Amino acid sequence: MTRTPPPAQTATTGHVLIQNLVKTLDGSPGVYRMLNAANEVLYVGKARNLRARVSNYARPSGHSGRIARMILETASMMFLTTRTETEALLLEQNLIKQLKPRYNVLLRDDKSFPNILVSKTHAFPQIKKHRGAKSEKGDYYGPFASAGAVNRSLNQLQRVFGLRTCTDAVFESRTRPCLLYQIKRCAGPCVGKIGQADYTALVSDAERFLQGKSTRIQEDLARAMGAAAEAMEYERAAALRDRIRALTQVQQGQGINPQGVSEADVVALHMAGGQACVQVFFIRANQSWGNRDFYPRTGSGAEAPEVLEAFLAQFYDDKTPPRLILLSHAIEDADLMVQLLSDRAGRRVELAVPQRGEKAELVENAARNARESLARKMSESAAQSRLLEGLAEAFGLEAPPKRIEVYDNSHIQGTNAVGGMIVAGPEGFLKSQYRKFNIKGSEITPGDDFGMMKEVLGRRFARLLKEDPDREHGLWPDLLLIDGGAGQVSAVAGIMAEMGVEDIAMIGVAKGIDRDLGREEFHRPGARPFALRSNDPVLYFVQRLRDEAHRWAIGAHRAKRAKAVSATPLDEIPGIGAARKRALLAHFGSAKAVSRAGLPDLQAVPGISETMAQTIHAFFNPRS
């Protein structure tokens, strides 16, 4: 690695500095970083040939406005050579995610996509929604664009094939059919309504359907229905007829189903007003499995090919790419991107920019959706900006807030207490920034909302002071909204003063005298309470913020309470995970029965070894 001296030790900056650096470089592939006078990384780039790439920045003119500004701010550079161009591309994207340079394109959505899992851990396989690492044994189908798309597909599969969705524990405990069997959404394997061989055939048909072989399934069902009718098995023939009808309805309601594209992602970009929207449509088994829109940061004005190339590298960082990716724009280093994606997939991946035919229509449809989505987002952003300006005027703030944090607590008589924080800004609710705080203070009296708020804010701002003391990363709020009146605001002001943070505006939102919606009172430290007009858009905006914080805190509290209800002493035994816990409860019926069991009985449970049986027995019988 080579690095120039800091700006204080040299008078050269910008293209003059870069001209001097080019002389020290060779033609190796690698990654370069451009830094400003404060040693902040402005840009991270890759190069097949470092000398050739960096020399482009050494020219005094001929650059776009974005590149010219970046060069002008450059006070030093860092270089790292790699063995191959692919390694350079991979390193570049890792550094971009880590450093988030101002002039780089950055994909800010890191959510995983759900799949359908046909679990193969049981004689009667379960079909369910799955998100995350593919560690469970079974066949995975996806990705789907959203949980809603998965749920719709699961409903369709239940209607047509009657596969079970219940957990193994529920399956083993059933003594009579559930409601899903009654409404013909499950074949009822849990109570013997269908044999293992017939159920396995249903699973096979469902997987063929997910693989796009639905026409062949219909033909097989039609033959089976005819054979059943000839054998005068009329009930079986009627059931097969109903499955054929359900399958036909599913096929008619699937929307865009391309005939010539069996597996592809359609990626289309639209840019306007310095913003970008990328639409991704997922096509698997000749079926459209939904779409998702993304709004990458454009790096202060990057062109479409650069935005799309950076999006592909970051989007498929933790996802398996399909065999074909259809693009709306050509990218510069297409061959390098193909090599990177093929390495990640373990097979050949093709990039294409279709010009005619069905594939071009798919891209055109995705581009139209990208254009419409970006127009809606820009309209919403403009409305949000007006609301933030109105909020600043109503509350006497120096400028419209860029980051609002709203806090609320939730508990039942002090039990399972949870604090919630939501975040909003010019782009609306920033759900990736939401946080939950399990109240841990042993000195807090049950139901002490002041004490809970003190713990939440203390933990929140102690972390900010540690991780971002100079407030350079946009993590510090401009405004705090507290669900409460003068007492809560005074308590929060005292908490903030103890930590030396006294320059952040805070507002308490309290119900009015009659506790009616629309008659809220607002409290500020050292000021008299005031109210807004009942039809003021700013009032509606604050109500939305408070309601969202309330929803978030209540959801966290309910999840914690549900977990506490299902907790058993088995959770405290070292080595007892979810699978062994289920096995023990299924065998003995309750944790109390487990505590009374002897060593031979414990060893008889599937998955419980002699050593584990001794551990369980010793936990419940320490004196023995």
Side-chain angles (χ1 to χ4, degrees), residues 81-132:
T81 60
T82 59
R83 293 177 300 174
T84 65
E85 301 165 17
T86 306
E87 285 185 4
L89 177 57
L90 191 58
L91 178 59
E92 176 200 35
Q93 297 306 321
N94 289 338
L95 288 173
I96 289 172
K97 283 192 172 184
Q98 176 186 348
L99 301 174
K100 298 178 174 57
R102 185 194 320 164
Y103 288 98
N104 278 103
V105 176
L106 180 66
L107 176 61
R108 291 172 287 188
D109 190 306
D110 58 354
K111 295 180 181 177
S112 62
F113 290 87
N115 291 266
I116 285 180
L117 167 61
V118 180
S119 176
K120 298 298 178 66
T121 59
H122 195 279
F124 293 91
Q126 172 196 13
I127 188 168
K128 61 182 178 180
K129 177 173 61 181
H130 178 87
R131 191 190 294 269

Side-chain angles (χ1 to χ4, degrees), residues 259-464:
Q259 299 301 309
V261 181
S262 61
E263 177 186 330
D265 284 351
V266 184
V267 183
L269 167 69
H270 182 75
M271 299 181 66
Q275 299 186 49
C277 176
V278 178
Q279 278 278 345
V280 183
F281 279 73
F282 303 97
I283 297 174
R284 300 294 185 272
N286 295 100
Q287 303 170 22
S288 176
W289 283 0
N291 64 296
R292 177 83 71 86
D293 51 358
F294 301 86
Y295 301 92
R297 192 185 70 187
T298 59
S300 301
E303 298 296 327
E306 183 179 350
V307 173
L308 198 55
E309 180 177 342
F311 175 85
L312 292 174
Q314 295 175 41
F315 180 73
Y316 292 110
D317 179 52
D318 57 353
K319 304 172 184 69
T320 302
R323 300 179 184 278
L324 174 64
I325 301 175
L326 301 177
L327 303 178
S328 60
H329 298 73
I331 61 175
E332 293 181 0
D333 297 320
D335 56 340
L336 186 58
M337 184 62 64
V338 165
Q339 183 178 346
L340 175 66
L341 297 180
S342 298
D343 290 344
R344 287 177 175 171
R347 50 174 164 70
R348 174 71 178 176
V349 173
E350 179 186 355
L351 297 181
V353 185
Q355 302 300 317
R356 63 182 66 85
E358 184 181 38
K359 294 177 181 177
E361 292 176 3
L362 291 172
V363 173
E364 183 181 351
N365 176 60
R368 183 179 65 253
N369 278 270
R371 181 173 64 252
E372 294 172 353
S373 295
L374 184 58
R376 286 193 298 269
K377 184 175 187 296
M378 293 176 70
S379 176
E380 292 169 0
S381 296
Q384 186 80 357
S385 297
R386 290 193 294 271
L387 286 173
L388 293 175
E389 290 170 0
L391 188 69
E393 182 180 352
F395 292 162
L397 306 178
E398 295 180 358
K402 296 181 179 179
R403 182 184 175 97
I404 304 171
E405 293 186 357
V406 192
Y407 292 85
D408 193 12
N409 298 324
S410 183
H411 59 88
I412 295 179
Q413 297 181 344
T415 61
N416 300 311
V418 176
M421 178 193 85
I422 70 154
V423 182
E427 298 181 354
F429 291 116
L430 306 177
K431 296 191 176 182
S432 63
Q433 302 288 314
Y434 287 16
R435 296 292 182 268
K436 301 172 185 176
F437 300 85
N438 288 317
I439 305 299
K440 303 175 181 178
S442 57
E443 300 178 359
I444 297 177
T445 304
D448 180 6
D449 286 331
F450 288 178
M452 295 177 191
M453 188 61 69
K454 181 175 182 178
E455 178 179 332
V456 169
L457 288 170
R459 287 163 56 186
R460 167 64 179 158
F461 283 91
R463 183 164 186 169
L464 280 179

Side-chain angles (χ1 to χ4, degrees), residues 38 67 137 186 215 236 260 394 417 433 457 497 507 520 533 557 568:
I67 300 300
K137 183 180 178 182
C186 180
T215 303
R236 174 173 167 77
Q433 302 288 314
L457 288 170
I507 303 290
E520 284 83 356
R533 299 189 319 273
H557 164 70
T568 72

Side-chain angles (χ1 to χ4, degrees), residues 239-259:
L240 291 168
R241 178 203 60 201
D242 293 341
R243 285 180 60 194
I244 293 173
R245 287 178 178 175
L247 187 57
T248 302
Q249 291 174 358
V250 167
Q251 291 171 327
Q252 291 174 345
Q254 282 176 337
I256 300 174
N257 291 327
Q259 299 301 309

